[in-house]
């Protein structure tokens, strides 16, 4: 029988964490969104206000529903305020040591029944579970960017994850109007990103070898393969730093040189050209476009 969830905690007020928090609030849950940076919390709130205004203006959401959802989100810099959460979703930087330290803190802080999930699609929960005293209640719950729009969520059951935890996570995802898929075994990248990764690798190969420009490769994917967005525009949207850190984590795990970030991604990472968030990646963005 799945555990009853009333209060949700989300850690990390970046694009993903903020949108996950709003998705949960729109689903009727009381949400605490925590970030160590008050600046990130302010930016997260402003971004959500803009997103909700757009939805209301387009008739996708009533003003009352948007206001009610906002009233359910508590923004805080204090981790202690997650002490009453029934379900916690971590959405911080893709660095194993930092995540392990956080999971250890959450284990001491959260109620004994609480599930602690990571939104990571690269770091599997078995890398985090033993940092807690409740490995059976640890799993991956992977939302896609942008979480307010994308309908699918991957729930990954590690060898330590109980059947009850997996079932609770699946039911929770359904309750926030998303489509959950259950992975019965851990594998880095899960399903969607493993398939997408192959496409990304080929797109970068074609660019680096001068076969075609990044604009034309994106156009091929959209007009010939019917993808809604090309691979380079997608990297700009999700963040070139995310791509870089994910590939570095994969390389650290495998030792395979082929898993390292591509030359062009590394160059952009080192220049700080991280995509929409910085106004420049493979494409250049206006201030308005960077907020999308």
């Amino acid at each position: 029988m799945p555990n009853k969830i009333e209060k949700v905690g989300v850690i990390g007020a970046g694009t993903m964490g903020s949108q996950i928090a709003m998705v949960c609030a729109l689903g009727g849950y009381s949400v605490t969104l925590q970030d160590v940076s008050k600046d990130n919390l302010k930016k997260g709130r402003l971004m959500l206000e803009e997103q909700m205004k757009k939805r209301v203006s387009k008739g996708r959401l009533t003003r009352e529903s948007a206001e009610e959802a906002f009233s359910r989100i508590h923004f805080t810099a204090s981790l202690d305020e997650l002490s009453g959460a029934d379900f916690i979703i971590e959405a911080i930087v893709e660095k194993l040591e930092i995540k392990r330290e956080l999971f250890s803190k959450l284990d001491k802080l959260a109620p004994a029944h609480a599930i602690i999930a990571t939104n990571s699609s690269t770091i599997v929960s078995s890398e985090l579970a033993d940092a807690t005293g409740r490995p059976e209640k640890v799993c991956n719950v992977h939302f896609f960017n942008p979480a307010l729009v994308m309908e699918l969520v991957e729930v990954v059951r590690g060898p330590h994850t109980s059947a009850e935890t997996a079932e609770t996570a699946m039911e929770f995802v359904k309750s926030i109007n998303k489509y959950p898929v259950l992975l019965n075994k851990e594998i880095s990248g899960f399903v969607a990103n493993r398939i997408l990764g192959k496409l990304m690798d080929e797109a970068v190969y074609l660019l680096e070898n001068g076969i075609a420009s990044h604009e034309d490769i994106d156009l091929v994917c959209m007009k010939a393969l019917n993808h809604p967005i090309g691979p380079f525009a997608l990297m700009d949207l999700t963040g070139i730093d995310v791509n870089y850190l994910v590939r570095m984590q994969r390389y650290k795990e495998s030792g395979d040189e082929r898993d390292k970030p591509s030359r062009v991604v590394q160059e952009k990472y080192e220049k700080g050209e991280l995509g929409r968030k910085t106004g420049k990646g493979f494409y250049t963005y206006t201030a308005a476009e960077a907020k999308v």
Side-chain angles (χ1 to χ4, degrees):
M1 182 71 180
N3 292 328
K4 183 172 176 59
I5 298 168
E6 293 179 353
K7 296 180 179 179
V8 177
V10 180
I11 303 170
T15 301
M16 281 303 296
S18 296
Q19 293 201 20
I20 290 169
M22 181 54 78
V23 166
C24 295
L26 287 167
Y29 290 98
S30 172
V31 183
T32 298
L33 176 60
Q34 187 272 344
D35 197 295
V36 293
S37 166
K38 290 183 179 180
D39 188 48
N40 283 352
L41 288 166
K42 183 179 178 181
K43 288 178 182 177
R45 183 193 287 271
L46 289 172
M47 181 270 291
L48 290 177
E49 286 174 354
E50 288 183 11
Q51 290 291 330
M52 292 302 102
K53 282 178 185 176
K54 285 181 183 177
R55 290 193 165 206
V56 170
S57 68
K58 292 179 180 178
R60 296 175 183 169
L61 191 70
T62 64
R63 181 173 281 101
E64 292 75 19
S65 295
E67 289 174 354
E68 285 174 10
F70 258 109
S71 73
R72 296 189 193 104
I73 304 177
H74 173 56
F75 296 80
T76 181
S78 172
L79 198 64
D80 291 342
E81 294 194 42
L82 277 79
S83 60
D86 305 303
F87 199 103
I88 299 173
I89 303 166
E90 167 271 312
I92 65 170
V93 65
E94 289 290 277
K95 292 187 178 179
L96 178 60
E97 298 77 14
I98 297 175
K99 288 183 189 287
R100 284 182 60 84
E101 182 181 353
L102 175 61
F103 270 61
S104 179
K105 289 179 181 177
L106 290 172
D107 182 49
K108 297 177 179 68
L109 185 68
H113 68 270
I115 290 171
I116 307 175
T118 175
N119 183 58
S120 178
S121 64
T122 305
I123 297 174
V124 291
S125 68
S126 59
E127 297 280 347
L128 304 168
D130 65 346
T132 77
R134 63 180 87 192
E136 74 285 354
K137 294 187 180 296
V138 177
C139 63
N140 288 75
V141 177
H142 175 232
F143 291 76
F144 292 85
N145 190 20
L148 278 165
V149 177
M150 302 298 283
E151 296 182 302
L152 192 81
V153 176
E154 294 172 316
V155 175
V156 187
R157 183 180 179 184
H160 53 279
T161 308
S162 70
E164 181 182 68
T165 294
E167 185 182 357
T168 300
M170 292 287 285
E171 290 303 315
F172 170 71
V173 171
K174 290 176 186 175
S175 75
I176 56 175
N177 302 307
K178 300 292 185 184
Y179 292 94
V181 292
L182 179 64
L183 278 67
N184 295 303
K185 292 181 181 179
E186 291 183 333
I187 186 168
S188 181
F190 310 152
V191 174
N193 282 343
R194 288 182 71 85
I195 294 170
L196 179 62
K198 297 299 183 185
L199 184 143
M200 291 278 195
D201 286 349
E202 188 61 28
V204 168
Y205 172 85
L206 293 169
L207 175 66
E208 291 187 337
N209 284 275
I211 308 300
S213 67
H214 68 270
E215 295 96 337
D216 283 347
I217 294 168
D218 276 358
L219 189 63
V220 167
C221 290
M222 290 188 289
K223 299 303 182 182
L225 304 180
N226 206 28
H227 292 186
I229 187 172
F232 296 102
L234 181 59
M235 275 193 270
D236 276 2
L237 177 64
T238 57
I240 289 169
D241 54 332
V242 174
N243 181 284
Y244 176 85
L245 292 171
V246 164
R247 296 304 293 255
M248 285 301 291
Q249 177 64 32
R250 194 173 299 168
Y251 169 64
K252 186 177 178 181
E253 291 174 0
S254 70
D256 189 336
E257 291 285 327
R258 292 173 297 182
D259 285 335
K260 275 187 172 181
S262 67
R263 173 180 51 78
V264 68
V265 165
Q266 182 166 344
E267 286 174 357
K268 290 196 173 294
Y269 177 79
E270 291 172 352
K271 288 179 183 176
E273 296 176 359
L274 307 181
R276 284 180 183 262
K277 68 177 84 176
T278 61
K280 183 175 174 60
F282 288 99
Y283 297 88
T284 301
Y285 301 90
T286 65
E289 289 170 332
K291 291 178 181 179
V292 175

